[in-house]
Amino acid sequence: MLSMVIQISVNSHDCTTIGTDFVTRRAAAARQSFRMSKYKVFVMRHGEGAWTKENRFCSWVDQRLSEDGVKEALACGHLLKEAGYHLDVVFTSLLSRSIHTAWLLLEAMGQEWVPVVRTWRLNERHYGALIGLNRAEMALNHGEEQVKQWRRSYDLTPPPIDESHPYFLEIYNDRRYSTCDVSKEDLPKSESLKDVLERLQPYWDGTIVPEIKQGKLVLISGHGNSCRALLKHLEGISDADIVNVTLPTGTPILIELDENFRPTKPMQLLGDQKAIQAAIRKVEDQGKVKQRA
Ligand SMILES: O=C(O)[C@@H](COP(=O)(O)O)OP(=O)(O)O
């Protein structure tokens, strides 16, 4: 039996302030509306990436999963299998950590045949010139609040990447980006969360929603910020509240929607709730000068 508890964001000091307040309002709204769930969709951030250990902004750099990330992806698959879910299609970004998570999850579920569809529109937010930098060092040099704003604010765009950046050529010469529905020149050089939602929403509306409407159970294996953008859209999270939403790696989030694609209940992070809270704290701590023990 899964223990499913409503959560949005956990911050060791005040997590439960805005996060819980938001959840409470959402729960009250859902109770009042008496809307019936018609659709379910899973949104999840991939398993831990290799650069997480080094605390570097990874973004469009194609790092693999860490050993722990592989374990997380497999554990997600086991969790969904035990809960009896049968997936019909999985959407990923063009980045290996998102694709490998989908493969491992499907393998653990014994559902390897399920189609995996890749799109750059689910890529992680483009962190521009911040790519490759260490978050704790950035917090030391620019302050923790500035780093939090760069990481979590809705409409702040970091400085763009340019040709002098050590990862510029690796990203823009990569063959995968010649397969996109926009030219290489038009791919982002830096993005706010708002920009991510703007490039993701047409894909959600035009490609993913029609699948869900056909009755298919969809799982999105995305990234911390591409998933935050989608959750903001689906859950109607305000520009102010999204700052306090942090997603752990390798944790499926179940969203139930009515016939008009409005949420009927608060989103649910599935799995061991204490472990999920610890995982969220770990991600938040990455932006601090000193990490908590
Ligand atoms: O780009 C990255 O390093 C992380 C998010 O970083 P933060 O926004 O948490 O700093 O993305 P992901 O690991 O989900 O692909």
Side-chain angles (χ1 to χ4, degrees), residues 39-55:
Y39 307 112
K40 288 184 180 177
V41 58
F42 286 106
V43 174
M44 68 176 273
R45 182 179 177 194
H46 59 77
E48 184 191 77
W51 270 13
T52 302
K53 299 263 184 249
E54 297 173 38
N55 200 7

Side-chain angles (χ1 to χ4, degrees), residues 45-46 56-59 97 124 127 135 151-152 223-225 283 286:
R45 182 179 177 194
H46 59 77
R56 299 166 77 188
F57 287 103
C58 192
S59 184
R97 55 195 188 275
E124 181 50 304
Y127 261 119
R135 295 182 187 83
R151 296 178 77 200
R152 296 292 170 259
H223 299 261
N225 296 295
V283 177
Q286 290 169 343

Side-chain angles (χ1 to χ4, degrees), residues 10-206:
V10 176
N11 168 320
S12 61
H13 312 301
D14 54 13
C15 154
T16 35
T17 52
I18 290 185
T20 304
D21 183 46
F22 171 76
V23 170
T24 309
R25 289 199 310 269
R26 169 69 66 200
R31 269 199 307 277
Q32 275 166 13
S33 67
F34 299 110
R35 289 199 296 266
M36 297 283 289
S37 294
K38 180 158 183 188
Y39 307 112
K40 288 184 180 177
V41 58
F42 286 106
V43 174
M44 68 176 273
R45 182 179 177 194
H46 59 77
E48 184 191 77
W51 270 13
T52 302
K53 299 263 184 249
E54 297 173 38
N55 200 7
R56 299 166 77 188
F57 287 103
C58 192
S59 184
W60 282 39
V61 175
D62 195 37
Q63 287 290 312
R64 301 248 160 170
L65 295 177
S66 68
E67 277 180 33
D68 286 345
V70 169
K71 286 183 199 154
E72 285 173 0
L74 290 169
C76 282
H78 292 304
L79 183 77
L80 296 182
K81 184 181 180 187
E82 272 170 34
Y85 287 108
H86 299 281
L87 298 176
D88 293 303
V89 55
V90 178
F91 290 93
T92 73
S93 73
L94 291 187
L95 294 160
S96 303
R97 55 195 188 275
S98 144
I99 299 165
H100 284 166
T101 296
W103 288 348
L104 291 163
L105 178 143
L106 288 170
E107 185 186 339
M109 294 181 81
Q111 297 175 27
E112 294 95 328
W113 61 270
V114 168
V116 176
V117 183
R118 301 155 181 78
T119 171
W120 77 274
R121 290 179 183 274
L122 277 168
N123 265 24
E124 181 50 304
R125 169 192 179 184
H126 197 305
Y127 261 119
L130 302 189
I131 288 178
L133 298 178
N134 177 286
R135 295 182 187 83
E137 282 173 23
M138 294 296 281
L140 192 62
N141 296 334
H142 300 274
E144 292 181 355
E145 186 50 36
Q146 175 64 66
V147 173
K148 183 172 180 190
Q149 288 302 315
W150 273 327
R151 296 178 77 200
R152 296 292 170 259
S153 66
Y154 181 52
D155 50 15
L156 193 129
T157 311
I161 194 168
D162 65 27
E163 289 183 19
S164 67
H165 190 283
Y167 288 96
F168 184 90
L169 290 179
E170 183 176 316
I171 293 171
Y172 294 96
N173 281 347
D174 195 309
R175 203 161 64 87
R176 77 193 73 192
Y177 294 116
S178 51
T179 67
C180 302
D181 57 0
V182 296
S183 70
K184 271 193 186 184
E185 292 66 41
D186 289 332
L187 287 171
K189 301 283 188 304
S190 180
E191 293 180 299
S192 63
L193 193 70
K194 186 167 181 267
D195 296 327
V196 176
L197 184 53
E198 280 169 12
R199 55 121 144 136
L200 176 51
Q201 197 173 338
Y203 192 81
W204 166 260
D205 290 337

